[in-house]
Amino acid sequence: PQRALPLLFAALDDDPSLDRAMESLEEMAVKLDEPRELVRVYQRKIKALGPEAADTPKTRAERLRLWTAISVLCIQRLGDVETGATAYEVTLALDGQNIDRRRQMAAIYTEMGGDRIDKAIAEHHYILARNKAELGSYRALKDLYIRSLQREKAAAVAYALHLLGKD
C-alpha cells in the first residue's frame, strides 16, 4: 500500500474523475495510519468536490466530513492546532447552526489562548443567544473573562451563575 499511494495520486493528477481511485486512496491511507497522507487525500477529495455553491445535501455532508476529519487529524495526530482550527472554522461555515460544533470551536480557541480568547468568548455568546440555560458557556465565559483581564464582565457572569444557583 505504501508504494501504491504515489501511483494513485499520479493517476488522479492525470484524470481527477477516477472516483474508484479516489476511494482506494482513502482506504489505503486509513490502513497505513499516516495522518499526513490522510490529510493530503482529504484535501484532494475536497478539491474534487468542486465549488461549494453547487453542493447537493449529500455533497455538503461529504465536504463537512472531510473538513472535520482534517481538523481532527491536524489537532489530535499532528499537533498542528492552528491548521486544525482553520479547518474546523470551515466546518462552522458549512454547519454554523450546530451548537456542538460551536462548543468544540470555543474549546479549540480556548486551548489556543492569546488572541483567540476573544473568538472563544464570541462562540460562547453565540451559544447563549440560542440557549440561555447553557451553564457550560456561562462557566467558560467567567474563566475567559478572567483570563483576558475583563474583571467586570467576569463578575457579572459569576453573579448570573449565582442567581441560577449554579456557581
Side-chain angles (χ1 to χ4, degrees):
Q2 185 73 38
R3 293 190 316 210
L5 281 178
L7 296 174
L8 285 170
F9 274 121
L12 287 166
D13 286 340
D14 290 340
D15 185 359
S17 67
L18 295 173
D19 292 336
R20 185 66 195 127
M22 187 71 79
E23 294 308 315
S24 297
L25 194 60
E26 183 174 0
E27 290 169 16
M28 279 187 222
V30 167
K31 283 181 186 172
L32 288 172
D33 195 31
E34 271 296 325
R36 289 195 194 291
E37 289 301 322
L38 263 173
V39 168
R40 284 183 60 212
V41 168
Y42 293 151
Q43 289 170 330
R44 176 75 63 119
K45 289 184 87 167
I46 289 167
K47 185 177 179 182
L49 290 175
E52 284 179 40
D55 277 358
T56 64
K58 184 178 176 182
T59 306
R60 188 173 194 80
E62 177 66 357
R63 190 180 306 275
L64 186 60
R65 178 188 79 84
L66 294 168
W67 279 111
T68 302
I70 289 172
S71 176
V72 169
L73 285 168
C74 288
I75 293 170
Q76 294 179 1
R77 301 283 308 280
L78 298 173
D80 185 354
V81 179
E82 189 69 38
T83 302
T86 301
Y88 210 78
E89 287 170 347
V90 175
T91 71
L92 279 183
L94 295 169
D95 189 21
Q97 301 301 313
N98 187 317
I99 296 298
D100 289 332
R101 281 192 190 284
R102 295 286 180 166
R103 275 191 212 101
Q104 186 61 38
M105 189 78 253
I108 293 168
Y109 287 148
T110 300
E111 180 184 326
M112 293 175 82
D115 63 342
R116 301 298 177 96
I117 295 297
D118 288 340
K119 288 186 172 190
I121 289 170
E123 289 300 331
H124 284 294
H125 278 285
Y126 180 93
I127 293 165
L128 288 170
R130 277 133 193 91
N131 181 5
K132 302 281 189 246
E134 187 74 36
L135 292 175
S137 283
Y138 285 111
R139 290 183 180 118
L141 277 173
K142 183 180 84 170
D143 294 339
L144 290 166
Y145 284 138
I146 289 169
R147 280 177 65 178
S148 61
L149 305 176
Q150 299 180 58
R151 289 179 179 81
E152 303 81 24
K153 290 180 180 180
V157 175
Y159 185 65
L161 282 167
H162 174 75
L163 290 176
L164 294 169
K166 305 294 182 181
D167 52 347

